[in-house]
Amino acid sequence: MNHKRIFGAVAVLVGGLLSGEEAVRFDHKVRQDFFAGIAGDKVALARGMKTTEEVLIKNPDDAEALVWHGSGLYSQAGEIFRNGGDQAKGMELFMKGQQEMDRAAALEPKSIGVRIPRGATYLTSTRFMGNAPFVKPLVEKGLSDYQAVYEIQKENLDKLGVHPLGELLFGLAEGNSRMGNEAKAKEFFEQLRQRLPESAYAKRAATWLETKSLSPAQSGCIGCHVSKQQ
C-alpha cells in the first residue's frame, strides 16, 4: 500500500475540487501532518490523528474528521502489513479504518471533503492488492465516491485545474477498467483525451484506448510538475 500516493491523491483532489468559498476547510487543519506522517514523521502523524480525535470526541458524527481518521488507521495497517508486523493488529486497524471511512460517507454522502479522501484511499491502495476477494468491494466504493464527486462537479469541470480534473477522470476511467466496465472506462478515457490534450493523462488515455490496459507504473498519481509532460 503506497501511502504517499494515497495522500497525494487526496491532497490534489480535495484541494482542487472543494469550493474556495469555504472559510475553514478541515483538510487544511490536518493534511500537512498526515503528509509528513506518511513520509516517516511519526510525531506529525500522531498530531494529525490527535486533531481528528479531539474533533470526534466533541462530535462523533463529524464526517470529515472521521474520514481522515479512518484513512489514517487504514494506512497504519498498510505500514504494519508491509513491514511484517503484528498481522492481527494490522487487520484490526484495516477493518476499523474502513468502518470509519464508510460511516463518514454515509453521514455526508454529498460532501467532496468526505467522498474524495475515502475514494482516493480505496482506489489508490487497491492497485497494489492483487485480486484478493476483498479488493473488488473496495474498488466499487472508491468508484462510487469519484462518481458522486463527478456528478457534483460536472457543470464545472472546465474550471478545474489539469491535475485535479485529471486525477478525478483518471480514477473513474482506471477504476472502471479494473472492474471490467470497459464501456464506462472508455467514456472517461475519451474525456481525458478530449479535455486534457497534450497532458500526461491524455497519453495514458491513448495507451489504454489502444491496448485496453495500463502498467502499474502508468496508474499512479501524476505529480503537478509532470502532469503536462508524461
Side-chain angles (χ1 to χ4, degrees):
M1 189 184 300
N2 191 312
H3 298 47
K4 292 184 179 181
R5 288 183 179 180
I6 291 173
F7 284 110
V10 172
V12 168
L13 285 160
V14 174
L17 296 170
L18 280 179
S19 170
E21 295 177 359
E22 296 183 55
V24 180
R25 279 173 30 194
F26 185 80
D27 67 295
H28 281 169
K29 298 178 182 179
V30 298
R31 65 184 185 182
Q32 291 305 317
D33 282 336
F34 275 91
F35 301 155
I38 56 91
D41 188 338
K42 294 183 179 180
V43 173
L45 181 58
R47 185 169 56 240
M49 293 293 280
K50 184 173 184 289
T51 299
T52 60
E53 288 160 3
E54 288 173 346
V55 173
L56 292 169
I57 288 172
K58 297 177 182 177
N59 179 12
D61 292 336
D62 187 300
E64 287 194 56
L66 193 61
V67 77
W68 278 93
H69 189 266
S71 184
L73 294 176
Y74 185 93
S75 293
Q76 287 175 343
E79 177 93 14
I80 290 173
F81 294 145
R82 190 176 71 249
N83 294 328
D86 185 336
Q87 299 298 291
K89 180 63 174 178
M91 185 55 66
E92 178 186 346
L93 294 174
F94 184 69
M95 297 306 297
K96 185 175 181 182
Q98 289 181 54
Q99 290 167 2
E100 291 189 359
M101 288 188 287
D102 293 352
R103 182 165 173 267
L107 286 168
E108 295 287 349
K110 295 183 179 180
S111 170
I112 293 174
V114 171
R115 301 302 291 264
I116 282 300
R118 187 181 79 150
T121 298
Y122 284 155
L123 288 182
T124 304
S125 66
T126 51
R127 290 176 185 146
F128 309 94
M129 291 182 181
N131 297 314
F134 66 86
V135 173
K136 183 177 178 180
L138 298 182
V139 178
E140 289 177 333
K141 289 177 184 177
L143 276 174
S144 75
D145 291 328
Y146 275 43
Q147 187 66 49
V149 172
Y150 178 83
E151 294 301 323
I152 293 169
Q153 291 286 335
K154 64 182 178 181
E155 302 302 324
N156 300 303
L157 293 179
D158 291 337
K159 299 178 182 179
L160 300 177
V162 171
H163 202 180
L165 177 58
E167 289 299 314
L168 177 62
L169 294 178
F170 182 79
L172 285 162
E174 192 266 346
N176 273 295
S177 177
R178 280 192 283 150
M179 290 296 296
N181 303 329
E182 188 170 307
K184 292 294 290 184
K186 181 179 179 181
E187 173 189 337
F188 288 111
F189 276 122
E190 288 284 11
Q191 276 206 58
L192 273 174
R193 191 161 64 171
Q194 293 167 10
R195 290 181 180 275
L196 301 175
E198 309 303 323
S199 71
Y201 299 103
K203 293 179 181 179
R204 288 185 178 184
T207 298
W208 187 92
L209 289 166
E210 179 180 350
T211 66
K212 297 300 184 290
S213 66
L214 292 172
S215 70
Q218 295 171 309
S219 297
C221 174
I222 295 175
C224 298
H225 60 293
V226 296
S227 61
K228 295 183 180 180
Q229 301 170 10
Q230 286 187 352

